[in-house]
Amino acid sequence: MDSGLAELDARITGCRACPRLVAWREEVARTKRAAFAEWTYWGRPVPGFGPADASLLIVGLAPAAHGGNRTGRMFTGDRSGDVLYAALHDVGLASRGTAVSADDGLELYGVRITSPVHCAPPANRPTPGERDACRPWLISELELLRPTLRAVVVLGAFGWQAVLPALAGAGWDVPRPRPAFVHGARIMLDGRPGPLDLFGCFHVSQRNTFTGRLTPAMLRDVLRTAAEAAGLPTMPYER
């Protein structure tokens, strides 16, 4: 399974299927942001991050132009990642609470992070067509994780809309009509080798975290509940 997922990640990084996204990610990598002028940007599709035997999968939206598109790792080097990794560390699912580069030594414990769109999109808004073009990668990733996967946390409505057909494509039984996204949603999906718990959580975007729509406590609660559903140990959080 390790080699299969590594091969998939390598194939993802070479994808050029969506002309608008290819042009944008490469333009951002050339022009950069002044604060990162000394960086050599990744400028390619960003693969998933985390162990191949993960029992919990976290699904975002797409890499940030100056985050994952710069560092080459999901949710690394941007404000959304700061919030997500701090929460993962708080509940005992990450070795540290910060993510600054792909070689910073960060480890995830039983958790993998991916997105339904692997290229940074203009204005952080992939089109439905770009989402659908990227879906086969997500289906393949789910199929490779299937032997150990027990829970999925989806960050935001866009990811939710992308994940449901991908789960169906990977062999899980998704209800019809498809359930709507709400923060705190929990849905049990039947499948083989076992059932899967699907959780909804507001995205860790600055819009949500700066306004208090999603607080660190809310995020920790979802992650802790999902980790327990996935059979992962968690740390009590007191602050």
Side-chain angles (χ1 to χ4, degrees):
M1 183 169 59
D2 288 352
S3 60
L5 201 54
E7 180 181 346
L8 177 68
D9 289 345
R11 290 171 56 208
I12 287 172
T13 64
C15 183
R16 301 182 65 85
C18 300
R20 188 182 79 115
L21 298 186
V22 171
W24 174 253
R25 79 191 191 210
E26 293 180 354
E27 175 65 16
V28 169
R30 283 192 298 268
T31 59
K32 307 182 182 181
R33 177 175 283 172
F36 306 121
E38 300 304 315
W39 276 77
T40 298
Y41 275 52
W42 173 256
R44 288 177 276 167
V46 180
F49 169 52
D53 60 352
S55 57
L56 172 60
L57 181 68
I58 298 173
V59 182
L61 191 161
H66 302 282
N69 190 56
R70 170 172 60 90
T71 63
R73 195 174 71 190
M74 286 288 172
F75 281 107
T76 299
D78 61 66
R79 294 285 183 87
S80 295
D82 292 344
V83 174
L84 178 60
Y85 286 115
L88 287 168
H89 182 254
D90 285 343
V91 299
L93 299 175
S95 62
R96 53 189 289 176
T98 58
V100 295
S101 67
D103 59 357
D104 60 10
L106 172 66
E107 293 183 63
L108 299 181
Y109 304 136
V111 179
R112 184 170 170 86
I113 300 175
T114 194
S115 65
V117 175
H118 287 275
C119 293
N124 292 320
R125 293 181 180 177
T127 67
E130 289 161 351
R131 174 199 66 199
D132 295 347
C134 221
R135 183 177 298 147
W137 297 126
L138 182 56
I139 292 174
S140 295
E141 191 167 11
L142 288 165
E143 289 173 339
L144 288 166
L145 291 170
R146 173 183 282 280
T148 57
L149 191 63
R150 297 295 175 266
V152 176
V153 172
V154 185
L155 303 175
F158 183 95
W160 186 266
Q161 293 165 1
V163 162
L164 290 175
L167 286 167
W172 278 277
D173 297 329
V174 176
R176 290 277 190 178
R178 289 173 179 162
F181 171 81
V182 293
H183 179 83
R186 181 175 183 177
I187 299 164
M188 178 72 75
L189 305 179
D190 291 328
R192 296 180 180 178
L196 184 78
D197 270 303
L198 179 66
F199 295 85
C201 179
F202 289 139
H203 196 278
V204 289
S205 66
Q206 292 184 55
R207 176 182 298 178
N208 288 337
T209 57
F210 283 9
T211 62
R213 189 183 192 209
L214 178 67
T215 66
M218 291 166 63
L219 179 57
R220 288 194 298 267
D221 286 346
V222 172
L223 292 175
R224 183 179 288 109
T225 303
E228 290 169 354
L232 297 172
T234 60
M235 296 284 289
Y237 181 76
E238 297 178 4
R239 181 177 293 175

